Amino acid sequence: EVLFRDLRLVMRANQWTCLLGSSGIGKSTVLRLIAGLPTHVKLDGVIKSDDQLSISNRVSYMAQNDLLLPWASVSDNISLGSKLRGRKYSLEKKLKIIKKVGLKNHKEKYPFQLSGGQRQRTALARTLMENTPIVLLDEPFGSLDSNTREEMIDLTFKSLTGKTVLFVTHDPHEASRLSE
């Protein structure tokens, strides 16, 4: 079965691009392919950038599920990427992001102690901590209440200014508000 035939998706540098559509049509699969993650499909084509450099080491990916490590605190989950790569990170930057996403009083808690919205904000903070030029967001605001959703949309948009963002959503309002 063919998921896409002759698909050409162009993401303009330093802009937000949105994939809007119903469930099950392959939006998340496209993100996973771009991120170089395993999927259930075979790619018969190429994913490339205009500068011909590898994309895989320039991408951060926020999945639909928060994918938090249950044995790690909020603070440790946020800096996980740097730790896994053996890179140093700025503690000041991490604390600033934790404060921005409203988790200052929860930074030492574990995922089981958080609400769904707090878990989602932790995953968003981890993505913001990565500071990559290409950011893939798979329904990052899905489990947030309406007030927190609006705050996180604003924060995410401001925090990712100047980045190349591919954003998946079912919500036409989010798509029209964020994508160019």
Side-chain angles (χ1 to χ4, degrees), residues 31-79:
L31 291 187
R32 293 184 62 80
L33 287 168
I34 293 169
L37 298 171
T39 67
H40 63 285
V41 301
K42 176 186 168 215
L43 175 63
D44 184 19
V46 294
I47 297 171
K48 63 180 182 173
S49 65
D50 286 345
D51 62 12
Q52 304 304 314
L53 297 174
S54 171
I55 292 173
S56 63
N57 61 351
R58 298 187 287 170
V59 166
S60 55
Y61 170 68
M62 183 176 167
Q64 288 179 23
N65 301 326
D66 58 59
L67 303 176
L68 300 179
L69 298 179
W71 59 85
S73 68
V74 165
S75 180
D76 288 339
N77 266 291
I78 290 170
S79 52

Side-chain angles (χ1 to χ4, degrees), residues 150-167:
E150 291 303 314
E151 290 172 15
M152 290 301 103
I153 287 172
D154 288 342
L155 169 66
T156 304
F157 190 74
K158 289 174 187 170
S159 298
L160 297 177
T161 298
K163 306 279 186 191
T164 302
V165 179
L166 182 56
F167 172 63

Side-chain angles (χ1 to χ4, degrees), residues 10-158:
V10 177
M11 296 171 35
R12 303 231 183 265
N14 308 318
Q15 291 186 359
W16 283 63
T17 302
C18 179
L19 291 178
L20 174 66
S22 58
S23 297
I25 63 167
K27 298 179 309 294
S28 297
T29 300
V30 169
L31 291 187
R32 293 184 62 80
L33 287 168
I34 293 169
L37 298 171
T39 67
H40 63 285
V41 301
K42 176 186 168 215
L43 175 63
D44 184 19
V46 294
I47 297 171
K48 63 180 182 173
S49 65
D50 286 345
D51 62 12
Q52 304 304 314
L53 297 174
S54 171
I55 292 173
S56 63
N57 61 351
R58 298 187 287 170
V59 166
S60 55
Y61 170 68
M62 183 176 167
Q64 288 179 23
N65 301 326
D66 58 59
L67 303 176
L68 300 179
L69 298 179
W71 59 85
S73 68
V74 165
S75 180
D76 288 339
N77 266 291
I78 290 170
S79 52
L80 179 65
S82 297
K83 290 177 183 175
L84 288 174
R85 288 186 299 281
R87 292 186 187 157
K88 292 187 179 193
Y89 60 90
S90 166
L91 181 58
E92 182 180 331
K93 176 184 174 185
K94 179 166 78 167
L95 293 174
K96 188 176 180 180
I97 290 171
I98 288 171
K99 184 177 179 184
K100 276 186 179 181
V101 299
L103 293 171
K104 183 178 177 186
N105 296 329
H106 304 284
K107 66 184 180 204
E108 298 309 320
K109 289 183 178 178
Y110 292 88
F112 75 91
Q113 297 171 302
L114 303 175
S115 70
Q118 290 168 330
R119 291 175 63 101
Q120 195 75 3
R121 286 185 277 155
T122 302
L124 176 59
R126 180 178 54 207
T127 303
L128 296 175
M129 189 71 185
E130 287 297 302
N131 194 30
T132 58
I134 302 169
V135 181
L136 309 175
L137 301 173
D138 196 351
E139 301 200 43
F141 314 115
S143 67
L144 302 175
D145 63 77
S146 60
N147 288 338
T148 305
R149 175 185 293 230
E150 291 303 314
E151 290 172 15
M152 290 301 103
I153 287 172
D154 288 342
L155 169 66
T156 304
F157 190 74
K158 289 174 187 170

